[in-house]
């Protein structure tokens, strides 16, 4: 690929990642809505997790609708209408969901709030089905997972500022507020968000994004298994992995406010910077994991592996400084980031090895959070975000490797499993009513344990099909 072609690909990639930003902004903002709704509507911890359940179950419903319509039409929807139209349609659906926040806030209806979030995520389901394989397709396959990691880093810029903006919209500058929470203050930011959805849909429609990108065809090794995408064991096991990965990522953050309030005595509004830190941790990890997408030079990559995470951490500090939060408690986190850098270097760019190493550190961080107290436990739980950071692109890349013409169908099946974010969050909330919030994080340990197993098992599955990521990535260097 010459430099002109490379520049054209990046020109197409940049507008695409706008939708990744939206997914992060809304998903992380839910973690602020959960304690707010819990207080305003007098909900139990498990009932408050219906926010996550309604949001993430929509991905499954959306994927089922997608596959159902494709069966009736006897043709894949996105292949029929094109990738740009698919993204624009998904954004329009999400915009409709934001409109429900207006009557929901005026009437104080929890059910209508949940309905709005459900429809927003329904649109996200279609967007993700299109955007994830498209991000992989906009360049060499050898750096596909790194490109997806980079897109995830933009996603996590949204997750970093989302909680802060929504918190400010609800509480204003009074960060110590613990009462008189106004549900009506939620409607304006979500109406603005809906307008942004429509604006980006129009922008993408007229952008240079390809309507039908060239996806890699099956190689000799990939052609050994014929039939539907579900005949590929890497995909089926990967679907479970996506379910549990999204589950542990979301449940760790969505149950953290309750832990900090009940066990550590934080006010609801004061939790926002720590939720922001958790999601910023994913941004830190993804910026670190994406350096290979920029250069093949090994020396430059080593330098960027130290610069990228602290640049992302700097973004977090700047955003919180603008929000006038005390930055003192966060500087120590710079030392924890060194662990991430070491884990990333040990993975050597191999997605299976990275999944195994990062899952192991995820288990360790969660156990430390469970069996320590005070701010040590908070930093341990927020550091789970560092080790969740690159798991989505690792799992997604491993699960669709070798699918060839079944890649689009496999992608929709993986998107369907995002429902784990809601189900696992609700399960942890339910368990917490018996064990307490802190020990309910055993759910996260179990999730990471399966992810480590998948990393080990999928390696042998792909080798048997003649697929080696070590060979591909070393060739890229």
């Amino acid at each position: 690929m010459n430099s002109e072609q490379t520049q054209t690909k990046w020109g197409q990639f940049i507008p695409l990642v706008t939708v990744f930003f939206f997914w992060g902004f809304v998903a992380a903002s839910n973690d602020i809505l959960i304690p707010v709704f819990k207080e305003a509507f007098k909900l139990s911890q498990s009932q408050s997790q219906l926010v996550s359940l309604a949001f993430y179950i929509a991905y499954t419903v959306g994927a089922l609708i997608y596959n159902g319509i494709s069966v009736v039409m006897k043709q894949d929807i996105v292949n029929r209408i094109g990738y740009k139209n698919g993204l624009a349609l998904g954004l329009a659906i999400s915009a409709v969901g934001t409109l429900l926040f207006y009557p929901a806030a005026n009437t104080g209806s929890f059910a209508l709030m949940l309905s709005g979030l459900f429809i927003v995520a329904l649109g996200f389901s279609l967007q993700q089905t299109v955007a994830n394989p498209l991000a992989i397709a906009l360049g060499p396959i050898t750096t596909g997972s790194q490109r997806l990691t980079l897109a995830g880093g933009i996603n996590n810029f949204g997750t970093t500022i989302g909680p802060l903006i929504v918190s400010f919209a609800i509480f204003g500058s009074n960060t110590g507020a613990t009462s008189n929470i106004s549900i009506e203050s939620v409607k304006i930011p979500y109406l603005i968000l809906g307008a942004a959805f429509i604006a980006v849909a129009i922008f993408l429609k007229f952008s240079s994004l390809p309507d039908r990108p060239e996806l890699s065809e099956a190689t000799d090794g990939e052609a050994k298994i014929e039939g539907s995408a579900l005949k590929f064991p890497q995909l089926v096991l990967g679907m479970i992995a996506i379910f549990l990965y999204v589950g542990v990522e979301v449940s760790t953050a969505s149950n953290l406010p309750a832990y900090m309030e009940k066990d550590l005595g934080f006010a609801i509004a004061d939790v926002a910077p720590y939720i922001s830190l958790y999601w910023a941790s994913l941004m830190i990890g993804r910026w670190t994991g994406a350096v290979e997408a920029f250069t093949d030079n090994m020396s430059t990559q080593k330098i960027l592996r130290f610069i990228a995470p602290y640049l992302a951490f700097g973004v977090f500090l700047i955003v919180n400084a603008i929000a006038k939060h005390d930055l003192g408690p966060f500087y120590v986190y710079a030392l924890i980031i060194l662990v991430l850098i070491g884990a990333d270097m040990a993975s050597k760019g191999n997605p299976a090895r990275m999944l195994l190493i990062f899952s192991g550190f995820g288990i360790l961080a969660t156990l430390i959070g469970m069996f320590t107290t005070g701010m040590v436990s908070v930093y341990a739980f927020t550091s789970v975000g560092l080790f969740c950071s690159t798991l989505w692109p690792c799992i997604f890349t491993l699960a669709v490797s070798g699918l060839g013409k079944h890649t689009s169908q496999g992608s929709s099946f993986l998107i369907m499993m995002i429902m784990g974010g809601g189900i696992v969050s609700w399960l942890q909330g339910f368990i917490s009513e018996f064990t307490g919030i802190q020990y309910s994080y055993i759910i996260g340990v179990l999730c990471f344990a399966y992810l480590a197993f998948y990393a080990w098992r999928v390696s042998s599955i792909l080798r048997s099909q003649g697929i080696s990521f070590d060979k591909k990535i070393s060739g890229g260097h």
Side-chain angles (χ1 to χ4, degrees):
M1 181 180 295
N2 59 40
S3 60
E4 183 178 352
Q5 289 172 319
T6 303
Q7 184 178 5
T8 301
K9 293 290 185 180
W10 281 110
Q12 296 168 350
F13 182 77
I14 292 171
L16 173 65
V17 297
T18 306
V19 295
F20 283 80
F21 171 85
F22 283 144
W23 305 338
F25 184 98
V26 177
S29 298
N30 290 345
D31 296 329
I32 298 301
L33 294 182
I34 287 171
V36 169
F37 288 171
K38 182 180 179 182
E39 175 72 19
F41 297 112
K42 307 303 178 185
L43 307 173
S44 67
Q45 180 62 14
S46 59
Q47 287 174 330
S48 71
Q49 293 301 317
L50 290 175
V51 171
S52 292
L53 185 61
F55 185 79
Y56 288 99
I57 202 71
Y59 282 92
T60 299
V61 175
L64 289 172
I65 294 173
Y66 177 91
N67 283 287
I69 295 176
S70 295
V71 169
V72 172
M73 294 173 58
K74 297 182 180 179
Q75 185 179 1
D76 185 274
I77 296 174
V78 173
N79 289 341
R80 174 103 178 238
I81 68 175
Y83 276 62
K84 285 198 292 187
N85 286 334
L87 284 173
L89 177 59
L91 286 161
I93 293 171
S94 295
V96 171
T98 62
L99 293 177
L100 289 183
F101 277 80
Y102 193 87
N106 288 340
T107 60
S109 172
F110 182 51
L112 206 52
M113 288 281 188
L114 295 181
S115 299
L117 285 172
F118 178 87
I119 295 173
V120 168
L122 203 62
F124 285 0
S125 175
L126 178 57
Q127 294 167 42
Q128 290 231 27
T129 299
V130 175
N132 282 284
L134 184 55
I136 295 174
L138 293 179
I141 187 63
T142 52
T143 54
S145 64
Q146 284 80 16
R147 215 159 26 255
L148 201 54
T149 299
L150 177 59
I154 303 301
N155 171 283
N156 289 121
F157 178 66
T159 63
T160 300
I161 68 174
L164 301 175
I165 292 176
V166 172
S167 178
F168 181 81
I170 295 173
F171 301 107
S173 59
N174 184 12
T175 58
T178 57
S179 60
N180 298 322
I181 295 174
S182 173
I183 293 298
E184 289 196 13
S185 61
V186 173
K187 63 185 178 184
I188 299 302
Y190 278 87
L191 289 175
I192 294 173
L193 186 63
F197 287 155
I198 296 299
V200 172
I202 296 171
F203 172 69
L204 289 175
K205 176 65 178 173
F206 294 100
S207 73
S208 61
L209 275 175
D211 255 341
R212 290 169 177 80
E214 295 181 7
L215 298 173
S216 60
E217 292 299 324
T219 65
D220 290 340
E222 293 168 348
K224 292 180 180 178
I225 303 176
E226 298 180 353
S228 73
L230 292 177
K231 293 294 182 68
F232 292 81
Q234 64 264 41
L235 175 65
V236 175
L237 294 174
M239 290 168 64
I240 300 172
I242 287 289
F243 179 94
L244 295 176
Y245 153 68
V246 180
V248 68
E249 177 189 282
V250 174
S251 64
T252 300
S254 63
N255 286 281
L256 186 59
Y259 168 64
M260 295 181 69
E261 291 169 48
K262 289 184 177 180
D263 292 26
L264 303 182
F266 276 70
I268 294 176
D270 294 336
V271 171
Y274 295 92
I275 297 299
S276 175
L277 177 61
Y278 175 82
W279 292 108
S281 295
L282 278 95
M283 177 174 67
I284 292 166
R286 286 171 177 170
W287 285 23
T288 306
V291 298
E292 289 185 42
F294 291 99
T295 178
D296 292 335
N297 186 282
M298 295 295 291
S299 298
T300 304
Q301 287 180 12
K302 289 178 181 179
I303 296 172
L304 288 177
R305 278 195 170 91
F306 282 89
I307 294 176
Y310 288 106
L311 184 62
F313 185 51
V315 170
F316 163 78
L317 293 175
I318 290 171
V319 169
N320 277 272
I322 293 173
K324 298 182 179 179
H325 293 140
D326 179 15
L327 301 183
F330 303 117
Y331 292 126
V332 69
Y333 207 68
L335 297 176
I336 302 175
I337 293 174
L338 290 173
V339 179
L340 166 78
I341 296 172
D344 181 73
M345 295 177 68
S347 71
K348 299 179 180 179
N350 184 302
R353 187 182 297 117
M354 179 175 284
L355 179 58
L356 180 61
I357 293 172
F358 277 52
S359 296
F361 275 109
I363 291 173
L364 179 62
T366 307
L367 288 174
I368 292 174
M370 289 174 62
F371 295 106
T372 58
T373 58
M375 292 308 298
V376 173
S377 64
V378 173
Y379 292 135
F381 285 138
T382 54
S383 73
V384 169
L386 293 174
F387 306 116
C388 279
S389 59
T390 60
L391 299 193
W392 171 276
C394 287
I395 297 168
F396 201 95
T397 301
L398 293 166
V400 301
S401 292
L403 268 61
K405 65 181 181 180
H406 300 296
T407 299
S408 180
Q409 183 187 37
S411 175
S412 70
F413 285 138
L414 291 171
I415 299 305
M416 183 187 303
M417 304 311 289
I418 292 177
M419 66 178 174
I423 294 175
V424 174
S425 294
W426 173 85
L427 178 61
Q428 184 178 344
F430 178 76
I431 294 296
S432 72
E433 295 175 7
F434 302 94
T435 65
I437 296 290
Q438 189 171 19
Y439 294 118
S440 71
Y441 277 91
I442 188 63
I443 297 297
V445 173
L446 297 176
C447 290
F448 279 122
Y450 176 84
L451 296 179
F453 162 76
Y454 177 67
W456 168 78
R457 183 73 183 95
V458 76
S459 296
S460 60
I461 291 172
L462 294 179
R463 278 197 302 269
S464 70
Q465 297 177 27
I467 302 171
S468 173
F469 282 92
D470 281 324
K471 181 179 179 181
K472 288 182 178 181
I473 292 175
S474 62
H477 292 158

